[in-house]
Amino acid sequence: MYLSKEYKADIFAEFAGGATNTGSAEGQVALFTKRIAHLTEHLKKNRKDFNTQRSLQMLVGKRRSLLAYLYKKDIERYRAIIKGLGLRDIIK
């Protein structure tokens, strides 16, 4: 399984401030980013997997809405997570 408990705890510890802080927007964005990367690799091999393609699109939408929330609430947290994950600045 690519998202084990330990792996998720590491992601949340790095980006959310603690392994048990699973509800923070930064932790959720980091987890979504890892899942998006995994699904993108899967779709490169399996082009006709439309269920995975839909799941990927929904995850990208969720991540975008969380990033928009961070942008509105605290621009510094938004900039830190964008820089930490190496994402493009999607909120203009």
Side-chain angles (χ1 to χ4, degrees), residues 8-25:
K8 285 182 185 180
D10 291 342
I11 290 173
F12 285 117
E14 182 180 350
F15 292 102
T20 58
N21 192 7
T22 59
S24 71

Side-chain angles (χ1 to χ4, degrees), residues 3-62:
L3 284 176
S4 65
K5 282 185 179 182
E6 296 81 20
Y7 185 67
K8 285 182 185 180
D10 291 342
I11 290 173
F12 285 117
E14 182 180 350
F15 292 102
T20 58
N21 192 7
T22 59
S24 71
E26 292 92 342
Q28 292 293 318
V29 168
L31 185 64
F32 287 162
T33 301
K34 301 296 182 185
R35 288 176 63 193
I36 287 169
H38 177 76
L39 290 178
T40 302
E41 289 302 315
H42 172 78
L43 282 173
K44 286 180 183 177
K45 298 175 200 163
N46 304 292
R47 290 182 176 270
K48 294 189 178 183
D49 190 353
F50 299 115
N51 290 328
T52 302
Q53 185 176 2
R54 175 165 162 69
S55 298
L56 176 64
Q57 290 170 345
M58 289 183 355
L59 270 177
V60 169
K62 284 182 184 181

Side-chain angles (χ1 to χ4, degrees), residues 58-90:
M58 289 183 355
L59 270 177
V60 169
K62 284 182 184 181
R63 182 179 71 179
R64 183 178 169 87
S65 65
L66 275 175
L67 286 172
Y69 167 78
L70 273 176
Y71 185 81
K72 285 188 284 186
K73 285 293 183 184
D74 191 356
I75 191 76
E76 294 306 317
R77 286 171 51 194
Y78 170 78
R79 288 181 181 149
I81 194 71
I82 290 292
K83 186 176 180 183
L85 292 172
L87 299 175
R88 289 186 297 163
D89 191 10
I90 60 173

